Amino acid sequence: MNGFYANCEETVRDIKKKACSYDYVRFSYADINGICRAKIVPSRNVEAILKSGGIGLCSAILLLDASSNYVPLPYLEADGYPDCHVFPGEGTFSPCPWSGNDNFNIAEVLCSFHWRGTLRYLEADPRALCLKMTKKLEQKLSVECYNAFEYEFVLFDKKKEKAAFDGKDICATLVFKEVEELHYLIDKRLLNADVNVQTLQVEYGPGQNEIVIEPRFGITGADAAFRLKSCVKETSAEMGYHATFMSKPFETDVVTNSGHWNHSLWDDRGNNVMYDPSKPTGLSELAMWWIGGICAHAPALCAIICPTTNCYRRIVPGTWAPCNIGWGIDRRDLMLRVKTGTKNNTYIECRSASSAANPYLVMAAMIAAGLDGIENKIQPPDEGTIFQRLPLSLQEALDALDADEVLKSAMGDEFILWYRQAKRECDCKTQNFEDEKNMYLKLI
C-alpha cells in the first residue's frame, strides 16, 4: 500500500504483537463533533480484522450530530450509504485504563476512515484531515508543530443532579478536596496511556475544573487531547459524576469552558522558529506572518474552533473569553495570547477555542490559516489592537467560512460539504438554551 496507509503493514505487525496482552481493543475514532465512538474487538480477532483492511462502518456514522441523530447528505443517500473502513493510525496503540472497570484489560487504537476497497481516505474524517495538514506543514516549512490543549470542563453530581461543588473558588485546595480522588485517578490513567498531565485544578465556576497536558509534536498533540476528553468523561461516569465540555452548561452563570490551544513551530535542529531574540517582541518574522494568517482567517476559523451554537454564549464580555480578533504579549483579552522570553517558552495560545471543539479540526484549521500567512507574508495587526470582532453566532461564522476560499481549499471540498451540512442542518436549528443542553450536555 502507499499514500495515507503507507505504513499499514508495519502497523498491523505492531498491533498484532501488542494486542495479545489485552482482552479487548477499542477501535476508536473522532466524529465530526470530536465525540469518541468505537467498535470493540476481542483481541483474538484483531489480526484478522487488520488483514482485511479494518472495520467496516456505515459512512453516515461519521456525520452524526452531537445528539447522535443522522445528518442527511444527499449523495450518500443516493449511493445507499456505502461502507467505509476504519484503520488504526501508526503508533496509536495504547492502554485504555478508563475502560474495563479494572475487570478487563483494554487497549485502544485511534483510527481514520477510508473508502471501502480503496486507499483513498475520507477527507471529512477529522483525524485524517489533521494528519494531512501536519504533513503539509512539514513538507512546506520543514517544521513540526509542538502543541498542547488545556481544557476546562464542568462536573455534575449524577445523584444530586447539580454541579459537583458550588462557587467560583479558583485553585482553592479545600474545594479541590471534594473532587481530588477523581482528578488523581484521571492523572494516573492518562499517564498509563502516555498522556502526561502538567497541572490539575478547580476553576472559576460551579463544578468547573481544568486539566493541562504536556505538549507533543504533530498530530500526537491532538491525539493526547482526544484521549484526555475520553478519559475525563468515562472516569467521571465511573465515579458518579457527569463531565461535560459543553461551552456554557449553565444559562445564567458566568462559567464557560475554554479549550485553549498552545503551539510553536520547531525545525529538525531543535530551533523554535517562532523565536528571535533580536526582535523587540522576541518573535521571528515567520511568527508574525503566522499570526497575520490566523487573524486574517479568524472569522472563518471561528466556525471550527467554536463549533456549536452554545459556544457563542461564551464569546461575550465578562466571560474571560476574547470577543475580538487580535494578538498581544501575555494578553488574555484578545484571540491570540503570545508568550515570549526564551526559545523554550515562546509560543502562541489561541484563547478563542472552545472546550467543545474537536481537537483534530482546531489543529488542522489553525495550521491552514498560519501557513497561508507565511506563504503570503500576511502582516498581523498592531500588537494589542483590535483587528475586528469575532462572529456573534455560529451562523455568522459559517457564512465567513463559506466566503473564505483559502481555508475551504485547505480543508478540502468533502470536509466542507459534510461539516457545513452537519452544522446548518442540526446545530443552527437549536432555538434556545434547553435545545442546546439537550444536544450538547451528554456527549460533548
Side-chain angles (χ1 to χ4, degrees):
M1 286 187 176
N2 51 39
F4 187 71
Y5 293 96
N7 299 313
C8 72
E9 291 183 5
E10 181 181 337
T11 298
V12 169
R13 287 195 297 270
D14 179 59
I15 294 174
K16 175 187 172 183
K17 180 180 178 181
K18 294 175 179 176
C20 60
S21 300
Y22 294 84
D23 299 313
Y24 298 91
V25 178
R26 289 193 350 181
F27 282 62
S28 299
Y29 62 93
D31 70 7
I32 283 281
N33 292 291
I35 295 166
C36 182
R37 301 182 189 272
K39 279 205 172 186
I40 290 80
V41 179
S43 59
R44 62 184 177 274
N45 299 328
V46 166
E47 181 180 3
I49 283 174
L50 292 174
K51 286 184 175 180
S52 72
I55 293 179
L57 283 171
C58 175
S59 51
I61 201 169
L62 193 63
L63 197 58
L64 300 177
D65 72 11
S67 297
S68 298
N69 297 308
Y70 166 64
V71 180
L73 197 61
Y75 84 86
L76 285 184
E77 293 178 348
D79 291 343
Y81 307 105
D83 257 6
C84 285
H85 273 170
V86 292
F87 194 84
E90 180 185 5
T92 65
F93 189 99
S94 172
C96 188
W98 50 91
S99 181
N101 291 325
D102 296 326
N103 297 316
F104 301 93
N105 201 9
I106 314 299
E108 181 180 59
V109 287
L110 302 181
C111 300
S112 295
F113 282 70
H114 64 101
W115 290 109
R116 187 172 185 174
T118 76
L119 299 180
R120 187 173 76 84
Y121 65 86
L122 184 60
E123 292 180 357
D125 171 59
R127 191 176 189 277
L129 177 57
C130 185
L131 188 57
K132 181 183 83 168
M133 293 310 303
T134 58
K135 288 185 178 296
K136 185 176 181 180
L137 179 67
E138 293 175 40
Q139 291 164 0
K140 285 186 173 289
L141 300 181
S142 299
V143 298
E144 283 192 278
C145 185
Y146 189 55
N147 70 101
F149 288 80
E150 51 183 277
Y151 279 127
E152 294 168 342
F153 58 94
V154 168
L155 289 173
F156 291 91
D157 186 308
K158 289 198 289 188
K159 288 184 178 179
K160 297 179 181 178
E161 297 185 344
K162 57 178 290 188
F165 50 84
D166 296 322
K168 49 184 180 180
D169 303 300
I170 184 170
C171 292
T173 55
L174 182 63
V175 178
F176 184 80
K177 184 71 177 177
E178 298 181 43
V179 290
E180 67 174 358
E181 187 177 354
L182 171 62
H183 273 270
Y184 296 150
L185 184 56
I186 288 170
D187 174 49
K188 179 181 179 181
R189 288 176 168 180
L190 283 172
L191 188 60
N192 195 15
D194 195 31
V195 177
N196 187 20
V197 170
Q198 288 188 323
T199 61
L200 310 152
Q201 68 177 74
V202 290
E203 256 290 346
Y204 192 65
Q208 191 179 36
N209 304 259
E210 182 186 79
I211 296 179
V212 179
I213 54 177
E214 183 180 65
R216 309 281 286 268
F217 280 104
I219 195 172
T220 60
D223 286 339
F226 179 66
R227 282 188 159 131
L228 180 153
K229 283 188 164 186
S230 297
C231 180
V232 166
K233 290 187 76 70
E234 294 178 39
T235 303
S236 296
E238 182 184 334
M239 298 283 287
Y241 298 100
H242 172 69
T244 184
F245 293 84
M246 179 179 173
S247 290
K248 197 169 189 301
F250 303 106
E251 185 171 16
T252 57
D253 197 277
V254 71
V255 59
T256 62
N257 290 324
S258 299
H260 301 162
W261 186 55
N262 304 295
H263 65 285
S264 53
L265 304 177
W266 292 71
D267 64 23
D268 59 6
R269 298 183 300 277
N271 297 313
N272 181 351
V273 299
M274 287 186 165
Y275 174 63
D276 185 346
S278 70
K279 303 292 186 182
T281 60
L283 296 173
S284 67
E285 193 170 43
L286 182 144
M288 297 299 285
W289 293 334
W290 182 271
I291 292 169
I294 292 172
C295 289
H297 295 287
L301 284 172
C302 214
I304 307 295
I305 67 176
C306 298
T308 75
T309 51
N310 180 259
C311 289
Y312 296 84
R313 297 179 183 271
R314 169 178 165 264
I315 307 176
V316 295
T319 61
W320 290 93
C323 307
N324 298 306
I325 301 165
W327 70 282
I329 305 296
D330 205 16
R331 292 190 62 146
R332 287 180 166 86
D333 58 339
L334 295 170
M335 181 181 183
L336 300 178
R337 178 191 183 201
V338 179
K339 301 296 287 290
T340 60
T342 67
K343 177 181 77 171
N344 290 328
N345 63 13
T346 294
Y347 63 91
I348 298 169
E349 175 187 17
C350 176
R351 292 183 54 78
S352 297
S354 166
S355 199
N358 184 328
Y360 295 112
L361 297 183
V362 171
M363 188 173 179
M366 292 287 288
I367 288 175
L371 267 176
D372 183 57
I374 291 171
E375 290 173 347
N376 291 290
K377 299 183 178 180
I378 299 174
Q379 292 297 329
D382 291 339
E383 193 266 331
T385 63
I386 295 173
F387 180 54
Q388 66 183 90
R389 66 166 175 79
L390 287 165
L392 300 178
S393 68
L394 179 58
Q395 185 70 57
E396 184 183 341
L398 289 168
D399 289 344
L401 180 60
D402 282 342
D404 193 318
E405 297 300 330
V406 171
L407 204 59
K408 286 196 300 182
S409 176
M411 302 293 277
D413 292 341
E414 192 169 67
F415 168 77
I416 294 296
L417 174 64
W418 285 47
Y419 190 79
R420 180 170 51 204
Q421 184 77 355
K423 296 302 166 182
R424 291 200 188 278
E425 288 298 315
C426 296
D427 294 69
C428 287
K429 291 186 177 179
T430 56
Q431 299 294 314
N432 51 52
F433 180 77
E434 280 304 309
D435 288 350
E436 294 167 3
K437 190 175 177 181
N438 289 336
M439 177 170 283
Y440 305 125
L441 187 70
K442 179 181 177 182
L443 293 181
I444 293 294

